Amino acid sequence: MPDHIKFFESLSGAGKAIAVLTSGGDAQGMNAAVRAVVRMGIYVGAKVYFIHEGYQGMVDGGDNIKEATWEGVSSMLQVGGTVIGSARCKEFRTHEGRLKAAHNLVQRGITNLCVIGGDGSLTGANLFREEWSGLLDELVQQGLIDAEAAKKYYALHIVGMVGSIDNDFCGTDMTIGTDSALHRIIEVVDAIMTTAQSHQRTFVLEVMGRHCGYLALVSALACGADWVLIPEMPPEDGWEEQMCQKLSENRAGKKRLNIIIVAEGAIDSNNKPITTERVKDLVVRCLGFDTRVTILGHVQRGGTPSAFDRILASRMGVEAVLALLETTANTPACVVSLCGNQSVRLPLMECVQMTQEVQKAMDEKKFEEAVKLRGRSFENNLKTYKLLAHRKPESELPHSSFNVAVLNVGAPAAGMNAAVRSAVRVGITEGHKMFAVNDGFEGFYKGQIKEIKWGDVGGWTGQGGSLLGTKRTLPAKHTEKIAEQMRKHNINALLVIGGFEALESLLQLYDARSSFEEFCIPLCMLPATISNNVPGTDLSIGADTALNAIVETCDRIKQSASGTKRRVFIIETMGGYCGYLATVGGLAAGADAAYIYEEPFDIRDLQANVEHLTEKMKTSIQRGLVLRNENSSENYTTDFIYQLYSEEGKGVFDCRKNVLGHMQQGGAPSPFDRNFGTKISAKAMQWISKKLKETYRQGRVFANTEDSACLLGMRRRALIFQPVVQLKDETDFVHRIPKEQWWLKLRPLMKILAKYKTSYDVSDAGQLEHVERNRPKETDASAI
């Protein structure tokens, strides 16, 4: 076993008591976090307690603080809100209230607190921690506890997780509940768009965000809204005329509807609130458009948590328990957060202070500083929105006279159209002439190439599939004809959006450079595949939508068995040889097992799984869920596994099987895929512009270096351009998967939460970092 890998077995929770509470406003995904804390805590040998009704329950004590059981958190993964309750508590803000809370905890030997809430809840927890030893001294003086208890429980350890739909907490890219709230908003916007189009209406939508415009900003990006108003970016004086002019231009351009999104805390440059009624009256008065207002309100807090929120909350819950096991009396209270695709631990008060600094900057009208303090994710979203939302007049555009072609390759993936729209609009803004290629490289060699304008991609963000058309055809056999078409249309750069076939295509075009100078141009690939099997990136456009389809179906399938006898469902997912969908879908749906190609299994493993499930079914669990990747094994097919479980489970449970098939590829893209596709496509076009300028010599573009044919992918915390040639060594071309895949580290997590004994690599965890201050960079100010 490698020396650098550290496993959590060394971190025993024996003799420790951990309490988990949810406080402040509720958020979808809180239950997934509670479930993960309870199960991981019990797994490591700790006693875990629920504190019902937040801090109020801690102050009141009694039945509000109950020991949690493994079975007690079954079937809560898919439930919205928080099943252990949340309440605002004035009493906890007083010294007397905190004294009562300390007494209630000490009585049960609880010295580890996991708090899920917003900045107010976490600030309260930190104050409680700082006062803890003094509170214990008071309890000794009052004779409520003895000196021995005070000595034994001398330190209180705090770990926070941020549950807030507003995403208003600094230090994390996403808070628990934000993605689900975006799902609710986008579902409503997509529904409204159909009725608005029928009647040529303008809709003004109010979304939550009293102090933070994240929901408004990202939903505007995800649905291609005409205008957005947020507290961090008050519009300049004269915005009313500008907005009306834009709405009018869009109608003149044959757009049948307008969408304006307003954050509830939106203000103008004079700090006056901008309400939906004010916006509606303005549009009616100036333009005479039929205008309606929709206030989404608490709809955004409700409903089932998205796949993203379930996975985020599960990862954070496990990380929180690990942090509590490793903490010492001198460790500052920390918050578990997300940076890029990685869980990190940050000092709680650093995050709280920066969150408070944002509000201070906004109060002082330092809005640019407020945006920077909000963090990298918020700032990048704002930059991308500005790039795409407002078309510059022709006279203001740079005239580069470069022609850039964009095409889709491979199977369709939700979010491809958002990426194409973004590429076209950013390309036009950069001064390029954009060309669309229909039906991938098959359409390319047949000459299905035409110029695509700004208005042609209106309304594309919410469309599923591939509007350009896509085929699996690779270019190798048709390089001569493709080169001819590139000459004919004078194509100077190529953006390829697709899955594994797109990677193979770029490698083939790179190899063809020695024979055809037409391919000596900047070539860029964006990973878009539901299988998430492309090397060089942790995530692909389309995978999140597919995961949500799987999780939603699993929820329904499990619910179909409620009230019946014990039942196990065997479900087959897509993904080729890549087990991403089965593994991460299994984690989000609460599966008992997930069979994948990357982790070979035999009849003994299957037998052990059946026995494990039988044991669980005999106690209290009524439903079992087993996922199988379509190519996980040549011989242990879905039918075989179904028959095995049916036979071995006789008398304990019965079995059903489902093959999910192409429903995983369809549907409207999720907010994450729309946003991810939009952002990486904008970044890719800026890279193409940069490369075109660098490689333009003596009247033509000539790029033949390795770094002029790149894949743009997300690696841990950053978006990185990687030469496709260098990705060859990282790729298993036979099975069309990367040789190393980050999500395999999540498999032990899924097994632990399903009550299996396993090893969990925590070598990435355990480092308390500091909050990065997102100050302006002198280098690439337009980085996404």
Side-chain angles (χ1 to χ4, degrees), residues 311 315 341 530-535 537-540 543 547 574-587 594-599 629 716 736-750 760 764:
I311 295 153
R315 286 175 74 183
N341 189 33
I530 67 163
S531 304
N532 198 31
N533 63 331
V534 178
T537 187
D538 290 354
L539 299 169
S540 302
L547 272 180
M574 289 172 101
Y577 285 95
C578 179
Y580 176 81
L581 290 179
T583 297
V584 183
L587 179 60
Y595 300 116
I596 62 169
Y597 167 77
E598 293 91 342
E599 195 174 277
N629 165 251
R716 289 162 75 90
R736 298 157 62 88
I737 53 174
K739 288 177 182 173
E740 285 188 20
Q741 302 185 83
W742 70 273
W743 52 264
L744 286 168
K745 284 187 175 181
L746 298 181
R747 284 187 66 76
L749 191 69
M750 185 191 75
Y760 182 46
D764 274 350

Side-chain angles (χ1 to χ4, degrees), residues 18 22 64 116 308 365 540 577 723:
I18 299 170
T22 52
N64 288 306
I116 307 165
F308 182 96
K365 295 192 178 184
S540 302
Y577 285 95

Side-chain angles (χ1 to χ4, degrees), residues 261-318:
I261 295 181
V262 184
E264 61 180 329
I267 50 170
D268 62 19
S269 55
N270 300 311
N271 265 15
K272 284 185 181 172
I274 301 177
T275 63
T276 46
E277 284 302 324
R278 179 178 165 186
V279 175
K280 177 193 169 181
D281 293 345
L282 176 69
V283 175
V284 171
R285 189 176 71 249
C286 297
L287 300 172
F289 289 172
D290 184 3
T291 306
R292 298 284 191 275
V293 168
T294 300
I295 296 172
L296 271 68
H298 282 74
V299 164
Q300 295 157 87
R301 281 196 191 280
T304 352
S306 65
F308 182 96
D309 271 330
R310 297 185 199 193
I311 295 153
L312 174 68
S314 298
R315 286 175 74 183
M316 284 187 172
V318 168

Side-chain angles (χ1 to χ4, degrees), residues 469-481:
T470 181
K471 293 278 173 76
R472 293 182 185 271
T473 310
L474 298 177
K477 292 179 183 174
H478 312 284
T479 45
E480 199 172 325
K481 286 183 179 176

Side-chain angles (χ1 to χ4, degrees), residues 527-566:
T529 165
I530 67 163
S531 304
N532 198 31
N533 63 331
V534 178
T537 187
D538 290 354
L539 299 169
S540 302
I541 299 165
D544 184 70
T545 305
L547 272 180
N548 277 290
I550 291 166
V551 168
E552 199 177 308
T553 310
C554 287
D555 286 350
R556 290 185 180 193
I557 286 170
K558 281 165 78 176
Q559 197 177 37
S560 73
S562 75
T564 65
K565 58 186 178 180
R566 296 183 180 97

